[in-house]
Amino acid sequence: MAAPSSQSCTALERSIRERVPTLLTDLYQFTMAYAYWRSGRHNEPAVFELFFRDNPFGGGFSLFSGMHDCLLFLRSFRFTDEDVEYLRSVLPPATDPAFFLFLRELDCSGVTLHSVPEGTVVFARVPLMEVSGPLAVVQLLETSLLCLVNYASLVCSNAARFRLAAGSRRKLLEMGLRRAQGPDGGLTASRYTYVGGFDMTSNVQAGFLFGIPVAGTMAHSYVTSFSSLEEVWPQVSLSAPVSNGDHDNIDLISLTKGWLGRVCELLGAESGQIHEGELAAFLSYAIAYPHNFLPVIDSYSVTCSGLLNFCAVALSLFELDYSPLGVRLDSGDLCRQSVEVRHVFRLCSEQFSIPAFQSLLIVGTNNISEYSMAELNKKENEIDVVGVGTHLVTCTRQPSLGCVYKLVEVRGSPRMKFSEDPEKSTVPGRKAVYRMLDTEGEDTAETREKVQSSIQTLHPRHKRLQEPDSYIVSFKVNLLCGDMEQRQGLDCLGYWIERHLTCCHSHPAFLQCKCTHLYTHTYARTHLYTIRH
């Protein structure tokens, strides 16, 4: 992964300010802030927690993401004169003018953020972030922080599920920018699918801002734009080394025609079914990028045209000491076609004594979903790289993670929401966050590599992609070195609850507890962030 340049880092900070300005929030945040200010409560110390209620996609885990963007947002949080004037026009006329002076001087210098490390595997109802500071300020932050965490964590978790379904062998290419919910959704998806386990993206801006490896092949439009070999230019197009160190110009078209005849003879194919425009497109692209030749071969027919044309051009490139990359399949039965393509690669490798030919890449892209990705592992196939777009970035199975931001303490006193719906009840008070260690002392996943390793070693009950075991985590559980223990204790409502602590024998080791009344908020080591200006 290429490290982002100082220029791209500056662009990233500017991007956050532009994407998440201070006014990007709900109107009622300002009316509540005014009511706090009007009653003199705006500076009271308060604590909010951000968490989600249910694991996404019916699975057993999520990946926390978006924290870095939250920090950038908090550091730049400040109202401009233009912001204040607009608020003056939309808030009720009875609003005291002095309140707008208060807003103009507001920042997050008094806000402290405790957070799970970015990329950590987390469970439902675990506080991902604890935001503390003056009541009016931390209230105003709610919508923006939720906006930054909700989709980032959701798409990162979705990417992790695709990675689990694909296994560790295959490379995964994120290519969903054109299907994303707007430019910001596309950029966020590219960034956090990489954290979630994808290897590269087609999004050039994401590569610039975040240092993510970028990759791409060619579109069908490029192939279909050609109709004849007369469109290939220049006709004498590539150079080949000769014994004295110089290079001779080679007529690539004539060379490729010769190889095409040999390939058709080897495979018993009819040359009359080969599409000349497709061959012209392949030749034109190979002339431009002889070391990066990876065309899409299903524009007309894989077996009758595309594969034959590719082999002819690729064999010509090998003869000239260039190294083509492979092919892309974008329609039909990808598994069956990939097996057929690999078989032809091996025949060419053996027949023409080119060992590298048998290991050329096969890229599969065809509206891939998590289900179809899992099916790939059940069928014989030779796909090396899978490109995923729509179902990855739009999170088809679940459009929102459903993160919430709830008040748990004011002036050191716990606060609780009861609600008519028990599912929406909250656990009051600030929480301690624990994560149990495995036998090797490994801790939370803080880097992309550790994230992927952690996902691969999840206990099956959490790793399962369909119908996982449900679990509820309890409140204020004592951790005793992973031994199962049953205790009774008085919770904040005065109810007696039986709590059972079971250690999952995996890395990272997670808490799985059962509780007859309340949900839990015990979890891993947090990071402390104080916003400074």
Side-chain angles (χ1 to χ4, degrees):
M1 170 177 167
S5 64
S6 59
Q7 182 181 2
S8 64
C9 291
T10 301
L12 177 58
E13 293 188 20
R14 182 173 64 251
S15 172
I16 289 294
R17 290 194 297 271
E18 293 172 351
R19 290 163 46 218
V20 196
T22 314
L23 290 183
L24 189 69
T25 188
D26 296 307
L27 180 63
Y28 79 163
Q29 307 292 5
F30 292 103
T31 57
M32 287 187 290
Y34 175 70
Y36 287 139
W37 178 85
R38 189 72 176 78
S39 62
R41 300 189 58 209
H42 55 286
N43 283 326
E44 290 182 1
V47 180
F48 283 82
E49 288 177 348
L50 188 152
F51 61 95
F52 58 90
R53 295 189 174 104
D54 298 294
N55 291 313
F57 311 110
F61 72 99
S62 180
L63 293 183
F64 170 59
S65 300
M67 182 271 293
H68 183 257
D69 283 348
C70 290
L71 286 177
L72 292 177
F73 166 71
L74 294 176
R75 287 170 184 156
S76 64
F77 183 90
R78 200 170 188 89
F79 294 100
T80 66
D81 289 334
E82 186 179 8
D83 294 337
V84 172
E85 286 306 308
Y86 175 74
L87 290 171
R88 195 188 302 271
S89 71
V90 296
L91 288 176
T95 305
D96 189 330
F99 175 66
F100 300 106
L101 297 177
F102 164 75
L103 289 179
R104 187 63 184 87
E105 300 301 319
L106 212 58
D107 61 28
C108 287
S109 57
V111 173
T112 300
L113 172 68
H114 288 83
S115 174
V116 173
E118 186 115 50
T120 300
V121 181
V122 293
F123 293 152
R125 297 190 173 269
V126 167
L128 308 178
M129 294 197 310
E130 178 191 89
V131 185
S132 58
L135 179 57
V137 179
V138 292
Q139 180 70 69
L140 285 169
L141 300 176
E142 175 182 7
T143 303
S144 301
L145 294 181
L146 286 171
C147 182
L148 288 169
V149 171
N150 255 311
Y151 178 65
S153 297
L154 182 72
V155 76
C156 188
S157 304
N158 200 27
R161 295 176 64 83
F162 273 90
R163 169 51 69 192
L164 286 171
S168 58
R169 180 182 69 85
R170 288 189 183 88
K171 297 288 187 180
L172 295 179
L173 166 65
E174 178 273 316
M175 45 187 292
L177 178 59
R178 65 186 61 191
R179 304 292 172 79
Q181 286 92 339
D184 185 64
L187 194 61
T188 302
S190 298
R191 180 181 187 181
Y192 290 108
T193 54
Y194 182 70
V195 174
F198 274 61
D199 300 282
M200 45 201 157
T201 179
S202 66
N203 187 340
V204 179
Q205 180 70 358
F208 169 69
L209 288 177
F210 312 122
I212 302 172
V214 293
T217 59
M218 71 168 62
H220 294 99
S221 59
Y222 181 84
V223 177
T224 58
S225 72
F226 289 82
S227 59
S228 167
L229 288 174
E230 295 179 357
E231 297 171 286
V232 179
W233 189 261
Q235 295 281 312
V236 179
S237 45
L238 283 181
S239 60
V242 293
S243 57
N244 63 3
D246 293 333
H247 287 74
D248 282 345
N249 289 328
I250 300 297
D251 183 350
L252 185 61
I253 296 177
S254 298
L255 180 63
T256 300
K257 284 181 176 179
W259 276 112
L260 184 58
R262 298 172 68 180
V263 171
C264 289
E265 181 180 358
L266 172 65
L267 302 178
E270 298 181 13
S271 59
Q273 297 187 41
I274 294 175
H275 199 284
E276 183 177 323
E278 182 180 55
L279 180 58
F282 289 1
L283 283 166
S284 180
Y285 198 87
I287 291 168
Y289 291 111
H291 284 296
N292 298 87
F293 180 55
L294 199 160
V296 58
I297 62 172
D298 68 332
S299 296
Y300 302 106
S301 169
V302 172
T303 55
C304 296
S305 182
L307 180 56
L308 303 176
N309 283 330
F310 168 78
C311 288
V313 176
L315 288 166
S316 299
L317 292 174
F318 272 117
E319 182 177 334
L320 300 176
D321 288 333
Y322 294 105
S323 300
L325 296 180
V327 300
R328 177 164 74 99
L329 300 169
D330 190 51
S331 62
D333 186 336
L334 299 183
C335 292
R336 176 184 58 79
Q337 289 182 100
S338 70
V339 172
E340 295 172 354
V341 169
R342 184 68 70 197
H343 174 66
V344 171
F345 285 176
R346 288 174 179 144
L347 286 177
C348 290
S349 174
E350 181 179 351
Q351 179 68 24
F352 305 122
S353 301
I354 304 177
F357 210 94
Q358 65 180 336
S359 58
L360 290 171
L361 293 175
I362 299 176
V363 180
T365 59
N366 184 18
N367 201 31
I368 302 294
S369 66
E370 180 187 317
Y371 173 78
S372 59
M373 183 78 79
E375 287 297 304
L376 287 179
N377 289 333
K378 299 178 182 178
K379 298 179 180 179
E380 180 186 6
N381 72 86
E382 292 287 342
I383 298 174
D384 302 295
V385 180
V386 179
V388 191
T390 304
H391 294 292
L392 174 66
V393 303
T394 64
C395 300
T396 313
R397 292 184 57 193
Q398 181 173 327
S400 175
L401 181 57
C403 285
V404 293
Y405 183 87
K406 298 300 180 183
L407 181 69
V408 295
E409 183 180 287
V410 177
R411 301 189 309 275
S413 177
R415 291 293 187 267
M416 179 178 184
K417 173 186 174 182
F418 284 84
S419 179
E420 296 293 335
D421 184 353
E423 288 283 328
K424 291 189 173 183
S425 297
T426 61
V427 176
R430 306 180 80 160
K431 318 297 188 301
V433 181
Y434 301 93
R435 171 139 302 164
M436 299 176 67
L437 306 180
D438 65 10
T439 55
E440 298 179 356
E442 292 293 334
D443 202 325
T444 54
E446 298 182 41
T447 66
R448 176 176 177 272
E449 291 74 16
K450 287 186 178 181
V451 168
Q452 294 193 52
S453 174
S454 299
I455 294 169
Q456 293 299 331
T457 55
L458 279 172
H459 190 281
R461 68 167 56 91
H462 300 303
K463 187 174 179 179
R464 191 177 305 168
L465 298 182
Q466 301 292 333
E467 300 179 358
D469 294 341
S470 62
Y471 64 90
I472 299 173
V473 191
S474 61
F475 180 55
K476 290 186 178 176
V477 177
N478 291 323
L479 306 181
L480 295 179
C481 303
D483 295 329
M484 186 173 70
E485 184 182 47
Q486 178 176 319
R487 289 180 177 271
Q488 288 187 332
L490 184 64
D491 66 9
C492 59
L493 295 178
Y495 292 96
W496 287 88
I497 300 176
E498 287 189 346
R499 300 180 177 92
H500 303 273
L501 174 61
T502 305
C503 172
C504 298
H505 303 289
S506 60
H507 167 63
F510 298 117
L511 300 180
Q512 184 185 20
C513 311
K514 294 182 179 179
C515 165
T516 59
H517 186 268
L518 288 182
Y519 294 100
T520 151
H521 297 278
T522 56
Y523 72 165
R525 172 173 61 93
T526 58
H527 285 187
L528 168 64
Y529 302 94
T530 301
I531 313 305
R532 301 188 186 281
H533 292 259

